[in-house]
Amino acid sequence: MCLSELDRNTEAVVKNLTGDQRFISRITSIGLTPGCNVKVIRNDKNRPMLVFSRDTMIALNRKECMGIEVAEVTA
């Protein structure tokens, strides 16, 4: 599933990044790499998505979220 499909307060692990080299370079430079954990802070429709990863709050637009494949962490 892509990152934007997750609900608020959901934790997930980044599995794969898809997109052109510029997109992948930008996403990895802000710390979202395969294997890292993310927690959804805000996921409102038509608004940027807010996630927390590696002690950093990150805002991502909807198009960027489509290129980030995640697996939900179940407790």
Side-chain angles (χ1 to χ4, degrees):
M1 77 175 61
C2 70
L3 184 59
S4 62
E5 295 176 43
L6 297 176
D7 294 324
R8 184 176 171 208
N9 293 323
T10 303
E11 293 187 26
V13 175
V14 175
K15 291 295 180 186
N16 191 29
L17 301 172
T18 56
D20 62 16
Q21 189 59 44
R22 183 173 182 244
F23 168 76
I24 292 173
S25 176
R26 186 176 106 62
I27 294 300
T28 56
S29 71
I30 60 175
L32 293 180
T33 58
C36 79
N37 293 324
V38 295
K39 180 177 182 181
V40 178
I41 303 301
R42 186 176 68 200
N43 189 2
D44 301 328
K45 291 183 180 180
N46 301 322
R47 305 271 312 200
M49 190 167 184
L50 193 60
V51 298
F52 185 78
S53 180
R54 300 182 191 240
D55 297 327
T56 304
M57 197 75 67
I58 302 167
L60 299 164
N61 68 41
R62 296 283 160 183
K63 185 176 178 184
E64 291 172 331
C65 292
M66 298 299 288
I68 303 171
E69 183 182 326
V70 296
E72 192 173 340
V73 173
T74 55

